[in-house]
């Protein structure tokens, strides 16, 4: 969001009056906003025109690195969101999302002009002031976004659309900034899109960041994919025809389509070796059936009857959905030409969720903000909220990157509750995922009914029962095998607390002995509030902190004793 015209504070400095855009010429506004109105089905046209007029006036005179007027960016972000079917409030917030950060327009004015709901969304995506937060700005801005998303998921969706458009125009940025933005996108924003199941955004962001980080590999993968798809009809044409026939034989109605892979996923899967890429590696067959879940299993049987299945390659994401509620059946078969083909089967109702994730749920439920209560696909966000407040800025981004790891395993509690964890997570991580209290007091686990160590790595399908003792607490060695941020942050906090308590006890014992030798009772001083008064006089908000300072030597015993002893 670098601006050509800016003040010394880094905020935009447009030379124009700041009041309303109500007198703006409607002609240019109408023409500029027309594609957005069309994408939104011409709903709430007046409100969108009004938001665009305000945003255009406030950003007037500001330019993008490309030389284009800055208003082209918020308009493009709103267009992305309109294409996904988001509501009017989200589009208005998208048009205004940079005004508070980069123009004199205030959050109070947003609230007065467009209401509280829009103001909350704009505030959620507004970066924190760099002068105030310094090196902590990026970490605390992401923490702010996470907290805002917990109240309204649209904050995160706007942020993703904002980053997508910035990636589309990244070529106008200097090389060092392109690399930084691309890396941050792959490490933080793409995983957020994955967690929310918005695959159409994730895939494009993946590929755009890939193009910046490794342009040669991106170009090579693109050329190999295009070459493979040019001759794909010979591989997929007969297979698709056979699938359509077998669906009809099993009295199923549906569609069969060829779905090309996206570049970054293909590059990662083949470890960059795309030379001689074959058609069956470049695409997959998608079967979308008209019916319910049971029809997917009938379709799976039909596929296996028509083409020989490869053993062990069936994945059932219907009975056990992914953490973002993605549902489909995946299988691999030998096609008519002898090639191994990947086939995906889902219902028509599953398809929007597979493509748009949480956005499909927001559209279907009529709850544009998206509530977290009882949603399994948002359990990851609940866990993130549980540990984020205890993570200092320096640790927060690293912990967030780890928590957003794309790979995952799904384990079960004895009552059948599904718990998703990153690959490599241990039984101790499982305990902390259930709750911080369960983790803190755990003493062992039963995995599939057998005793196991807390350091045991969790596998998909494990049934894990956590054994607890109210008197148990974390030990230093737990940090050697706890892998999730939630577990590590809580363990470190408890260990620090225990260490501080031990230091406080040691310091108090030392002071108590010294005073007793001089005929003074420390307990009496504490009872009458004298100890607290002395602590605060020395700059400590609690007596325990004073005692800990005495133990570590930052307060000298000889300097402290006179304050407790009677005069003379």
């Amino acid at each position: 969001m670098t601006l050509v015209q800016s003040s010394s504070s880094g905020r935009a400095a447009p030379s124009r009056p700041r009041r309303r855009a109500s007198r703006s010429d409607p002609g240019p506004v109408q023409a500029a906003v027309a594609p957005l109105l069309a994408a939104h089905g011409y709903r709430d046209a007046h409100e969108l025109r009004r938001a665009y007029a305000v945003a255009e006036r406030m950003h007037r005179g500001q330019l993008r690195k490309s030389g284009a007027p800055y208003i082209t960016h918020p308009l493009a972000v709103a267009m992305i969101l309109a294409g996904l079917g988001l509501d009017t409030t989200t589009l208005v917030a998208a048009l205004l999302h940079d005004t508070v950060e980069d123009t004199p327009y205030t959050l109070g004015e947003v609230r007065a002009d467009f209401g509280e709901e829009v103001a909350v969304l704009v505030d959620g995506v507004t970066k924190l002031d760099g002068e105030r937060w310094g090196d902590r700005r990026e970490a605390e801005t992401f923490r702010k976004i996470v907290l805002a998303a917990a109240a309204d998921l649209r904050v995160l969706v706007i942020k993703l659309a904002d980053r997508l458009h910035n990636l589309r125009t990244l070529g106008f940025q200097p090389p060092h900034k392109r690399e930084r933005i691309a890396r941050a996108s792959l490490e933080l924003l793409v995983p957020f899109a994955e967690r929310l199941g918005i695959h159409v955004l994730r895939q494009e962001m993946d590929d755009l960041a890939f193009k910046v980080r490794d342009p040669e590999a991106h170009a090579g993968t693109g050329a190999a994919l295009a070459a493979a798809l040019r001759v794909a009809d010979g591989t997929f044409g007969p297979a698709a025809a056979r699938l359509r026939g077998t669906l009809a034989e099993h009295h199923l109605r549906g569609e069969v389509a060829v779905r090309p892979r996206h570049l970054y996923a293909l590059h990662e899967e083949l470890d960059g070796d795309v030379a001689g890429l074959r058609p069956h590696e470049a695409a997959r067959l998608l079967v979308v059936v008209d019916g319910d879940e049971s029809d997917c299993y009938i379709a799976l049987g039909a596929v296996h009857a028509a083409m020989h299945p490869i053993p062990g390659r069936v994945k059932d994401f219907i009975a056990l959905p992914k953490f973002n509620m993605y549902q489909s059946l995946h299988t691999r078969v030998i096609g008519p030409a002898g090639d191994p083909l990947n086939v995906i089967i889902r219902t028509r109702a599953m398809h929007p969720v597979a493509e748009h994730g949480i956005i499909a749920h927001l559209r279907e439920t009529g709850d544009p903000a998206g509530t977290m209560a009882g949603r399994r696909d948002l359990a990851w966000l609940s866990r993130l909220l549980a540990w984020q407040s205890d993570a200092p800025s320096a640790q927060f981004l690293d912990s967030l990157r780890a928590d957003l790891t794309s790979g995952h395993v799904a384990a079960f509690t004895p009552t059948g509750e599904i718990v998703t964890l990153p690959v490599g997570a241990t039984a101790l991580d499982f305990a902390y995922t259930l709750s911080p209290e369960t983790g803190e007091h755990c003493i062992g686990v039963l995995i599939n009914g057998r005793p196991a160590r807390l350091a045991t790595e969790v596998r998909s399908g494990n049934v894990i029962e956590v054994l607890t003792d109210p008197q148990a607490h974390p030990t230093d060695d737990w940090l050697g095998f706890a892998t999730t941020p939630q577990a590590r942050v809580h363990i470190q906090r408890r260990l620090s607390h225990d260490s501080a308590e031990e230091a406080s006890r040691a310091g108090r014992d030392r002071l108590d002995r010294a005073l007793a030798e001089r005929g003074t009772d420390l307990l009496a001083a504490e009872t009458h509030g004298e100890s607290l008064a002395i602590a605060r006089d020395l700059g400590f908000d609690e007596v325990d902190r004073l005692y800990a300072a005495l133990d570590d030597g930052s307060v000298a015993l000889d300097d402290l004793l006179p304050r407790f002893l009677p005069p003379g």
Side-chain angles (χ1 to χ4, degrees):
M1 293 186 291
T2 303
L3 307 177
V4 170
Q5 300 180 10
S6 63
S7 65
S8 60
S9 66
R11 303 181 75 81
S15 56
R16 62 193 183 286
R18 288 180 50 195
R19 286 315 303 156
R20 308 284 185 265
S22 57
R23 297 182 181 179
S24 297
D25 181 359
V29 170
Q30 174 68 27
V33 83
L36 177 61
L37 300 182
H40 195 47
Y42 297 98
R43 299 188 304 275
D44 303 311
H46 173 71
E47 194 71 0
L48 291 174
R49 288 193 194 100
R50 193 164 67 90
Y52 176 85
V54 170
E56 189 281 327
R57 182 177 61 82
M58 298 310 300
H59 287 298
R60 193 176 300 158
Q62 299 175 356
L63 302 177
R64 301 272 288 170
K65 284 288 186 181
S66 63
Y70 194 84
I71 187 61
T72 58
H73 169 63
L75 181 59
V77 173
M79 282 292 296
I80 292 170
L81 297 170
L84 293 172
L86 270 298
D87 61 298
T88 302
T89 299
T90 308
L91 303 188
V92 169
L95 289 169
L96 300 168
H97 79 272
D98 274 338
T99 55
V100 173
E101 181 181 333
D102 290 331
T103 83
Y105 200 52
T106 67
L107 194 62
E109 288 177 300
V110 175
R111 186 175 291 108
D113 291 348
F114 297 97
E116 179 65 24
E117 196 174 0
V118 171
V120 167
L121 296 178
V122 172
D123 183 42
V125 295
T126 298
K127 290 180 182 177
L128 296 172
D129 184 4
E131 290 187 356
R132 176 183 174 189
W133 292 92
D135 292 342
R136 297 186 295 151
R137 184 192 190 193
E138 184 181 17
E140 293 307 320
T141 294
F142 268 103
R143 195 195 305 265
K144 177 188 176 186
I145 290 172
V146 167
L147 291 171
D152 194 324
L153 286 166
R154 292 174 296 179
V155 168
L156 197 46
V157 177
I158 294 171
K159 181 64 180 177
L160 292 171
D162 172 56
R163 179 55 60 90
L164 174 57
H165 184 250
N166 281 332
L167 286 170
R168 287 176 178 175
T169 57
L170 207 52
F172 297 102
Q173 296 287 353
H176 72 281
K177 195 167 185 179
R178 290 202 298 266
E179 170 63 24
R180 179 177 61 79
I181 294 173
R183 183 176 65 254
S185 299
L186 285 174
E187 292 178 350
L188 290 170
L189 274 306
V190 167
F192 269 127
E194 172 75 10
R195 288 300 180 99
L196 293 175
I198 314 175
H199 296 297
V200 291
L201 294 187
R202 177 185 65 83
Q203 290 177 1
E204 187 177 354
M205 291 171 72
D206 258 345
D207 288 349
L208 290 170
F210 175 34
K211 182 177 181 180
V212 170
R213 300 199 72 189
D214 195 340
E216 185 176 338
H218 179 273
T221 305
L225 179 63
L229 292 177
R230 280 196 294 269
V231 295
D233 283 348
T235 298
F236 289 103
R242 187 174 293 187
L243 287 183
R244 294 186 186 101
T246 194
L247 291 178
E249 290 172 6
H250 286 78
H251 308 291
L252 294 172
R253 297 181 63 186
E255 298 177 6
V256 179
V258 179
R259 295 293 297 268
R261 306 290 305 279
H262 74 284
L263 298 184
Y264 185 67
L266 194 58
H267 170 78
E268 288 289 285
E269 182 177 305
L270 300 177
D271 199 24
D273 184 14
V274 295
L277 186 71
R278 292 170 292 177
H280 72 267
E281 297 173 312
R284 295 175 291 193
L285 283 167
L286 173 65
V287 178
V288 180
V289 299
D290 297 329
D292 55 22
E293 292 181 3
S294 62
D295 292 307
C296 288
Y297 294 100
I298 296 172
L300 178 65
V303 170
H304 287 175
M307 291 181 282
H308 186 71
I310 298 176
R313 297 307 298 266
V314 175
K315 294 182 180 179
D316 187 347
F317 295 117
I318 294 179
L320 189 61
K322 291 187 179 182
F323 53 79
N324 52 27
M325 298 310 292
Y326 171 91
Q327 288 186 292
S328 293
L329 297 175
H330 290 207
T331 187
R332 202 171 198 197
V333 297
I334 302 299
D339 299 308
L341 304 178
N342 290 305
V343 182
I344 300 172
I345 303 168
R346 62 176 69 126
T347 67
R348 204 167 293 280
M350 295 172 188
H351 188 61
V353 179
E355 298 289 301
H356 295 155
I358 193 68
I359 293 175
H361 287 293
L362 300 184
R363 293 194 304 248
E364 292 168 6
T365 61
D367 176 20
T371 55
M372 288 176 54
R375 293 190 64 103
R376 264 179 42 205
D377 54 333
L378 295 177
W380 62 272
L381 184 54
S382 298
R383 292 197 294 271
L384 198 164
L385 292 169
W387 65 258
Q388 62 79 28
S389 61
D390 296 312
S393 296
Q395 182 184 357
F396 178 71
L397 281 183
D398 287 340
S399 297
L400 183 60
R401 291 185 187 97
D403 203 8
L404 292 174
T405 301
S406 57
H408 73 285
V409 295
F412 298 87
T413 67
T415 59
E417 177 187 355
I418 300 175
V419 178
T420 57
L421 294 162
V423 173
T426 64
L428 180 61
D429 295 311
F430 180 94
Y432 271 98
T433 299
L434 295 180
S435 74
E437 294 75 21
T438 301
E440 185 165 303
H441 299 301
C442 70
I443 56 174
V445 293
L446 300 177
I447 298 181
N448 301 329
R450 296 176 176 272
R453 297 167 56 243
L454 292 176
T456 303
E457 186 174 327
V458 176
R459 304 292 185 185
S460 280
N462 283 164
V463 177
I464 304 177
E465 180 180 356
V466 180
L467 309 176
T468 60
D469 181 339
Q471 303 304 314
H473 58 81
T475 57
D476 290 339
D477 64 307
W478 283 16
L479 290 174
F481 52 85
T483 65
T484 61
Q486 181 177 10
R488 295 188 65 81
V489 166
H490 282 291
I491 292 168
Q492 288 168 339
R493 185 182 65 170
R494 178 53 193 262
L495 292 176
S496 296
H497 178 267
D498 291 348
S499 177
E501 282 192 342
E502 180 59 33
S504 176
R505 282 195 298 269
R508 186 189 184 282
D509 289 345
R510 185 181 176 197
L511 179 61
D512 187 34
R513 290 193 300 269
L515 290 175
E517 291 172 359
R518 292 162 176 78
T520 299
D521 185 5
L522 176 58
L523 182 59
E526 292 172 335
T527 303
H528 294 106
E530 296 169 7
S531 294
L532 180 59
I534 293 169
R536 289 181 173 173
D537 187 50
L538 291 172
F540 298 95
D541 57 348
E542 297 177 3
V543 175
D544 287 341
R545 296 185 185 276
L546 171 62
Y547 295 156
L550 179 61
D551 179 64
D552 67 24
S554 55
V555 171
L557 180 61
D558 291 342
D559 293 337
L560 189 59
L561 282 175
R563 293 177 176 269
F564 282 88
L565 296 173

